[in-house]
Amino acid sequence: MNLDTPESVPVLVAGGGPVGLATAVELAYHGVACLVVEPRASVSWLRPRAKTTSARSMELLRRWGLAETLRSRAPLAVSWSDEAVFVTGLLGREITRIGGCFGLDLAGSDLAAEPGQQAPQPLVEEVLREAAGAALLTGWQVSGLQEGADGVTVRITSATGEERRVRARYVVGCDGPRSVTRQAIGARYEGRQDARPNFNTVFRAPGLAERIPHGPAVHYWVLNPAQPGLVGRLDLKETWWCIAQGVRAEDADPVRLVRNLAGADIDVEILATDPWTARMLLADRYASERVFLAGDAAHQNPPYGGHGFNTGIGDAVNIGWKLAAVLRGWAPEGLLTTYESERRPIAADTIEAAAANMATLAPELADPALMGDEAAFERVRPAVAEAVRRTKDSEFHSLDLVLGYTYDDSPVVAPGSGERLPHRWLAPGESLYDRLGPGFSLVGDQRLPGARVAVEEARELGVPLRAVDLPGEPLTLVRPDQHVAWRGEDPAGALRLALGISGR
């Protein structure tokens, strides 16, 4: 443990992956200190797992001032490609393609303040590690905790077996599938595991890019029945990733897999392998009184659609601003109970959508006739292309899920509210979101009588409220997470409702 590591902190975050780090950054955004306990001293690029940062996550990174940092360091610019290309092999024939994937085409769109970004998860972690700064403690992991009426005593253990105790008022468990925090609060996963094995490979292939006839792509889907799978670039040098579907680790020959997906005996250097199976799991509860689960500790879904850690980033922002509101004294502890009621249904919907995407993968789309002569290929290609469009469109075009989820059933939003504030550009490069404050924001014509009522109520409650003047427009109360808490003419009591404060 670092000599300056505190013996007590307002919030301790178990796990310093992207979700744990995002929780720390959100807390810091509101001026709340925390300690992130993470066993890995450094981030490995050999098993990148997630590669898509969604448009919504990029909006949240923009809110923290980190969106441009990530984009400037991403190996693939957002303009590189927004297409998924379906082929018989990397060097084979093209079957069809789908454009506008993963919100990568949203630059300048009124739909979002940021387009999606292809960026390996390790890069996202590095950017968030830098932002978290001294809050990150590496080389230690949470090995147990005991919750009391006024706080949580957390046991942390070093790689050498040394143990220490840290006292926290609250704990956020971002410690993944084998979560100690989930076990400590008595929560358990519910769900199932897919029967099909998968085998990931990261490899270097000099000169491969120059030989591919299909142009840039986010993914190349190889529909070869002998070896179906996905291939993509990690950078614009020589590093690639692939997923071979239906391959067991004990049967895998990584070099042969890559060559089969390419459709030729290309030069290959294997950098890393990673066998895995898809899981559709949701914790039966997200919280105790003082311990909250986020990210993979709370939910797991198949990677198809790119929703994995992005759902966890939403968790981090939701619990982060609420913890800050309680710790800084402008919300009652009861507000924290809405974390589970708001975020668990979102995870359930995400799991369902990702599982539906997984129902039809490259093995199901592959047709032996595609690998025949030109006449056979042309005869079957239209049917396969139609099957691709029919079954994969929702996987690549999921903005309803990414940008459109709502908290309309939450007890702390007014009826008819709960959605993300509709985005717009106010000037070139200036998003409406850029004018929102870190606390609540009152958006609309500030000359309306209700504006004064809201400002006075915020002052009385000690709630940070920023007025965003949009002349001629009705009033909208926006939460710190950019979701609408209330809209109308008379905001009396709206802040109390949004914070779970009883009475008017």
Side-chain angles (χ1 to χ4, degrees), residues 233-290:
R233 304 190 72 164
L234 279 179
D235 56 39
L236 294 183
K237 298 176 182 178
E238 308 290 354
T239 313
W240 300 73
W241 59 270
C242 72
I243 302 175
Q245 295 159 340
V247 175
R248 298 182 303 175
E250 55 268 30
D251 299 331
D253 176 346
V255 171
R256 178 48 51 195
L257 287 175
V258 171
R259 288 175 174 170
N260 287 344
L261 289 167
D265 286 341
I266 61 173
D267 291 335
V268 177
E269 177 189 358
I270 302 300
L271 302 179
T273 60
D274 186 16
W276 60 280
T277 54
R279 294 177 173 87
M280 291 70 70
L281 300 173
L282 182 62
D284 61 348
R285 55 193 295 242
Y286 268 34
S288 60
E289 291 292 326
R290 294 185 173 273

Side-chain angles (χ1 to χ4, degrees), residues 374-397:
E374 191 68 25
F377 173 81
E378 288 299 337
R379 184 172 61 252
V380 75
R381 187 189 65 80
V384 175
E386 176 57 30
V388 167
R389 284 189 289 271
R390 187 178 64 253
T391 62
K392 307 312 291 180
D393 183 72
S394 62
E395 177 173 340
F396 295 112
H397 302 141

Side-chain angles (χ1 to χ4, degrees), residues 433-449:
Y433 293 173
D434 298 337
R435 294 195 185 178
L436 303 179
F440 279 79
S441 298
L442 185 69
V443 177
D445 194 330
Q446 301 302 310
R447 296 170 299 180
L448 293 172

Side-chain angles (χ1 to χ4, degrees), residues 19-92:
V19 178
L21 293 167
T23 303
V25 174
E26 178 67 17
L27 289 166
Y29 182 66
H30 297 287
V32 174
C34 75
L35 179 67
V36 181
V37 181
E38 166 56 42
R40 297 171 300 154
S42 61
V43 176
S44 171
W45 282 71
L46 293 180
R47 294 174 178 84
R49 295 293 177 92
K51 303 163 193 73
T52 301
T53 304
S54 72
R56 182 58 184 148
S57 291
M58 290 302 298
E59 287 182 335
L60 296 171
L61 283 163
R62 181 186 182 114
R63 179 170 163 271
W64 298 324
L66 299 176
E68 283 307 312
T69 302
L70 181 63
R71 290 200 196 283
S72 68
R73 290 162 58 176
L76 304 178
V78 71
S79 59
W80 165 249
S81 178
D82 62 19
E83 294 187 313
V85 181
F86 295 75
V87 296
T88 60
L90 284 181
L91 306 182

Side-chain angles (χ1 to χ4, degrees), residues 316-342:
V317 171
N318 191 292
I319 189 58
W321 82 259
K322 290 172 180 176
L323 283 171
V326 171
L327 288 165
R328 302 203 62 171
W330 43 275
E333 283 195 325
L335 176 66
L336 300 176
T337 64
T338 66
Y339 168 64
E340 177 174 332
S341 63
E342 289 187 348

Side-chain angles (χ1 to χ4, degrees), residues 42-405:
S42 61
V43 176
S44 171
W45 282 71
L46 293 180
R47 294 174 178 84
R49 295 293 177 92
K51 303 163 193 73
T52 301
T53 304
S54 72
R56 182 58 184 148
S57 291
M58 290 302 298
E59 287 182 335
L60 296 171
L61 283 163
R62 181 186 182 114
R63 179 170 163 271
W64 298 324
L66 299 176
E68 283 307 312
T69 302
L70 181 63
R71 290 200 196 283
S72 68
R73 290 162 58 176
L76 304 178
V78 71
S79 59
W80 165 249
S81 178
D82 62 19
E83 294 187 313
V85 181
F86 295 75
V87 296
T88 60
L90 284 181
L91 306 182
R93 294 175 288 207
E94 180 178 325
I95 302 163
T96 190
R97 60 180 59 211
I98 296 176
C101 297
F102 304 130
L104 297 170
D105 60 337
L106 291 180
S109 168
D110 280 336
L111 289 177
E114 295 281 344
Q117 175 67 56
Q118 289 296 106
Q121 183 175 318
L123 175 60
V124 178
E125 290 192 39
E126 288 184 352
V127 169
L128 291 175
R129 278 188 174 216
E130 292 166 9
L136 177 63
L137 173 66
T138 62
W140 294 73
Q141 64 182 351
V142 171
S143 53
L145 57 88
Q146 184 173 0
E147 185 175 356
D150 59 352
V152 186
T153 300
V154 183
R155 183 175 74 248
I156 65 174
T157 306
S158 73
T160 61
E162 181 183 358
E163 290 189 355
R164 297 288 179 89
R165 300 292 192 277
V166 180
R167 186 72 174 165
R169 282 189 63 184
Y170 299 99
V171 170
V172 182
C174 306
D175 45 349
R178 299 178 181 86
S179 171
V180 171
T181 52
R182 186 178 63 249
Q183 182 179 9
I185 68 171
R188 61 183 181 85
Y189 279 145
E190 297 176 336
R192 66 193 190 281
Q193 177 174 302
D194 188 47
R196 293 169 290 186
N198 303 279
F199 194 81
N200 284 13
T201 303
V202 175
F203 62 95
R204 185 174 289 115
L208 175 60
E210 290 74 19
R211 297 178 61 186
I212 293 177
H214 313 297
V218 178
H219 297 162
Y220 299 95
W221 283 62
V222 177
L223 307 189
N224 180 351
Q227 184 53 75
L230 283 73
V231 186
R233 304 190 72 164
L234 279 179
D235 56 39
L236 294 183
K237 298 176 182 178
E238 308 290 354
T239 313
W240 300 73
W241 59 270
C242 72
I243 302 175
Q245 295 159 340
V247 175
R248 298 182 303 175
E250 55 268 30
D251 299 331
D253 176 346
V255 171
R256 178 48 51 195
L257 287 175
V258 171
R259 288 175 174 170
N260 287 344
L261 289 167
D265 286 341
I266 61 173
D267 291 335
V268 177
E269 177 189 358
I270 302 300
L271 302 179
T273 60
D274 186 16
W276 60 280
T277 54
R279 294 177 173 87
M280 291 70 70
L281 300 173
L282 182 62
D284 61 348
R285 55 193 295 242
Y286 268 34
S288 60
E289 291 292 326
R290 294 185 173 273
V291 181
F292 305 87
L293 306 178
D296 283 356
H299 47 78
Q300 291 189 68
N301 57 260
Y304 305 104
H307 304 300
F309 84 84
N310 292 292
T311 308
I313 299 296
D315 295 343
V317 171
N318 191 292
I319 189 58
W321 82 259
K322 290 172 180 176
L323 283 171
V326 171
L327 288 165
R328 302 203 62 171
W330 43 275
E333 283 195 325
L335 176 66
L336 300 176
T337 64
T338 66
Y339 168 64
E340 177 174 332
S341 63
E342 289 187 348
R343 291 303 302 172
R344 193 171 182 273
I346 304 303
D349 289 345
T350 303
I351 291 169
E352 181 180 351
N357 293 337
M358 188 179 63
T360 306
L361 298 176
E364 288 75 41
L365 292 166
D367 188 312
L370 291 170
M371 310 308 296
D373 60 23
E374 191 68 25
F377 173 81
E378 288 299 337
R379 184 172 61 252
V380 75
R381 187 189 65 80
V384 175
E386 176 57 30
V388 167
R389 284 189 289 271
R390 187 178 64 253
T391 62
K392 307 312 291 180
D393 183 72
S394 62
E395 177 173 340
F396 295 112
H397 302 141
S398 57
L399 292 183
D400 285 350
L401 181 62
V402 172
L403 300 178
Y405 65 83

